[in-house]
Amino acid sequence: MKRPARHLCTVLLLALLAVALAFRAVLRRGFVGSLELEQYGLAAAAGAAAAGEAAAAAVFNSSVLRYAEIDGAEEKFKRETQQLLEGKFSGHPQFRRFASRRRFTTYEPNGKINMVFQVSLAPRYQRYVQDFRRNLQDWSRNKRFQPDVMNDLIRLVKHPLDRRGGSVVSDRRYASCAVVGNSGILLQSEHGELIDSHEAVIRLNNAKIKGFERNVGSKTTVSFVNSNILHLCARRERCFCHPYGADVPIVMYICQPVHLLDYTMCNSSHKAPLLVTDPSFDMLCARIVKYYSVRRFAEETGKPLEAWDAAHDKVYFHYSSGMQAIMLALGICDRVSVFGFGKSESAKHHYYTNQKGELTLHDYRAEYDLYRDLVERPQAIPFISDEFKFPPVTIYQ
């Protein structure tokens, strides 16, 4: 082949190769572009799905919050309070010891004879009536929701303890507090020395110490009880309710309005301070526990929120003494340690009794969810003012 023709063929081949490479590049750019578009579409879809799930979760949480605000026992509380203010104790058989029972005979126009019984406070307790009514009125009047009540616990609890204990009233929090629960998991824990090393130790419902010191310690700064415990103590002479010593202050919350009569009678004979928690604090605790209970119920069963009422008996559902004691410690302590909360298959319900079963009016599993949030993400706990600063919490098993 002649040399000019050979050069022409070479040029043509190079041109064809360049065109092929350019076409391939165009195709590749188109494929990559479509792939990028596809990936973008998938990412957008995933983002939309995540946003939808977040929106649904927010709606669900908002519904649970609104439902937790409903007090299922409010009507019962108002009715009992009004009856007590009117001096009607007949609906409270546990107060037979304080009651006077009188019998009257009535005659109807048709000649029928009826026997009528009137139950009222016995004469020897009448001197407490005015103070009882005043305490009941004040307590019921203050029973309203206040989200910032956690910031007031120093004033509401620690100041009276300082004042009644002869100490200088101070805004200083306890440097460290141990809240000692009553679970059987405390047995063989050997936490006694660690518990006693805290500046303040809060114990629950007059739990026994003697014989269990190695596991539960021996120091008690505050005895925290529910009013059912005080009602039992009130049966004793001078309302003795001091298993930890007559100088140990008692803080209690009111389970039933009628128990304010126990408080009124016992307060005058107690050497140590006997304080009733502020009802707005009680209401905050009730809302928080109900929130965790309703949320767990809905997530586990898939049933509507309204079904929770029957499953947990809305009128008698209540937080545990331990839960409120922990909430109290959050407000008056710089550091909170929790002992004896939780359970295992082999542990007794209370370390000092043989009781195995739990009380049905509490939702302990929901409260355990709350305790985990206290440790891991306290900002997720609802109904508490954003201005409140949570102290660090440690849970010991």
Side-chain angles (χ1 to χ4, degrees):
M1 181 179 291
K2 295 181 178 181
R3 183 172 298 177
R6 187 180 303 165
H7 284 299
L8 180 61
C9 289
T10 302
V11 171
L12 289 173
L13 287 172
L14 290 174
L16 289 172
L17 179 61
V19 171
L21 291 174
F23 183 69
R24 180 181 178 187
V26 170
L27 289 177
R28 188 171 184 275
R29 281 198 300 272
F31 173 75
V32 171
S34 63
L35 181 61
E36 290 175 347
L37 288 173
E38 181 179 356
Q39 291 175 341
Y40 175 78
L42 290 174
E53 291 178 359
V59 171
F60 169 75
N61 196 58
S62 178
S63 299
V64 175
L65 285 169
R66 288 195 302 271
Y67 203 76
E69 293 174 356
I70 301 172
D71 183 358
E74 184 176 5
E75 291 184 7
K76 180 176 180 290
F77 157 77
K78 290 182 177 179
R79 184 174 60 253
E80 290 185 358
T81 300
Q82 186 58 39
Q83 290 174 346
L84 291 169
L85 290 175
E86 295 172 356
K88 300 176 181 177
F89 293 88
S90 57
H92 304 281
Q94 69 268 41
F95 271 78
R96 290 172 185 162
R97 189 172 74 85
F98 305 118
S100 174
R101 184 180 175 91
R102 299 179 62 190
R103 185 176 65 179
F104 297 91
T105 302
T106 62
Y107 301 89
E108 296 184 7
N110 60 7
K112 184 177 179 180
I113 300 175
N114 294 322
M115 302 302 296
V116 178
F117 294 90
Q118 183 183 56
V119 179
S120 60
L121 280 180
R124 63 182 179 277
Y125 298 116
Q126 288 294 331
R127 60 192 177 99
Y128 297 109
V129 170
Q130 288 187 353
D131 288 341
F132 165 64
R133 286 177 176 168
R134 184 179 62 254
N135 290 333
L136 179 58
Q137 286 175 333
D138 291 343
W139 182 77
S140 60
R141 190 182 301 116
N142 292 328
K143 195 173 185 291
R144 60 185 183 276
F145 179 67
Q146 298 185 48
D148 57 351
V149 69
M150 292 294 294
N151 288 315
D152 291 335
L153 291 179
I154 289 290
R155 175 180 60 84
L156 294 172
V157 177
K158 189 171 183 295
H159 284 180
L161 292 180
D162 291 342
R163 192 177 302 112
R164 294 281 295 274
S167 303
V168 176
V169 175
S170 169
D171 289 338
R172 185 188 73 84
R173 295 168 177 260
Y174 295 111
S176 62
C177 293
V179 181
V180 186
N182 299 334
S183 171
I185 64 172
L186 272 174
L187 296 176
Q188 309 305 319
S189 68
E190 299 190 2
H191 286 322
E193 289 188 11
L194 177 59
I195 290 171
D196 289 344
S197 69
H198 291 74
E199 180 181 1
V201 178
I202 303 173
R203 298 192 186 274
L204 304 175
N205 291 336
N206 291 348
K208 293 181 180 179
I209 291 179
K210 188 175 182 180
F212 301 98
E213 293 89 346
R214 182 167 60 93
N215 295 310
V216 305
S218 58
K219 177 180 179 180
T220 306
T221 310
V222 175
S223 173
F224 189 90
V225 304
N226 64 63
S227 60
N228 288 308
I229 299 297
L230 189 72
H231 176 64
L232 296 175
C233 297
R235 298 178 180 178
R236 306 173 187 174
E237 185 179 357
R238 297 181 60 81
C239 297
F240 186 80
C241 200
H242 302 288
Y244 310 124
D247 294 328
V248 175
I250 297 174
V251 179
M252 73 170 185
Y253 68 91
I254 299 297
C255 301
Q256 303 177 49
V258 71
H259 287 165
L260 278 164
L261 179 57
D262 290 311
Y263 164 76
T264 302
M265 291 188 295
C266 292
N267 194 34
S268 61
S269 64
H270 272 223
K271 179 180 179 181
L274 175 58
L275 303 179
V276 173
T277 56
D278 191 278
S280 60
F281 179 51
D282 302 344
M283 182 172 287
L284 173 68
C285 293
R287 285 193 179 188
I288 291 174
V289 168
K290 185 176 179 180
Y291 166 82
Y292 279 91
S293 182
V294 171
R295 190 184 69 178
R296 171 177 279 275
F297 172 81
E299 290 174 345
E300 289 185 345
T301 67
K303 295 180 179 180
L305 303 184
E306 293 76 10
W308 178 91
D309 289 0
H312 288 274
D313 196 349
K314 66 175 183 177
V315 174
Y316 294 100
F317 177 79
H318 205 64
Y319 51 83
S320 70
S321 301
M323 180 271 175
Q324 192 168 20
I326 291 176
M327 295 297 294
L328 175 66
L330 296 176
I332 63 175
C333 309
D334 283 331
R335 178 168 57 87
V336 178
S337 301
V338 178
F339 301 85
F341 285 72
K343 66 175 184 176
S344 70
E345 293 298 326
S346 59
K348 298 184 293 184
H349 183 54
H350 292 152
Y351 69 83
Y352 56 93
T353 71
N354 291 321
Q355 179 184 346
K356 292 280 289 186
E358 297 179 340
L359 297 177
T360 57
L361 77 162
H362 303 315
D363 188 343
Y364 291 101
R365 295 175 65 201
E367 293 186 9
Y368 299 154
D369 291 342
L370 165 63
Y371 304 150
R372 278 192 291 271
D373 279 351
L374 282 175
V375 175
E376 300 171 3
R377 49 171 200 159
Q379 69 280 359
I381 300 173
F383 301 118
I384 297 178
S385 170
D386 293 336
E387 297 179 0
F388 178 72
K389 305 302 180 184
F390 285 88
V393 177
T394 304
I395 298 178
Y396 293 88
Q397 298 293 339

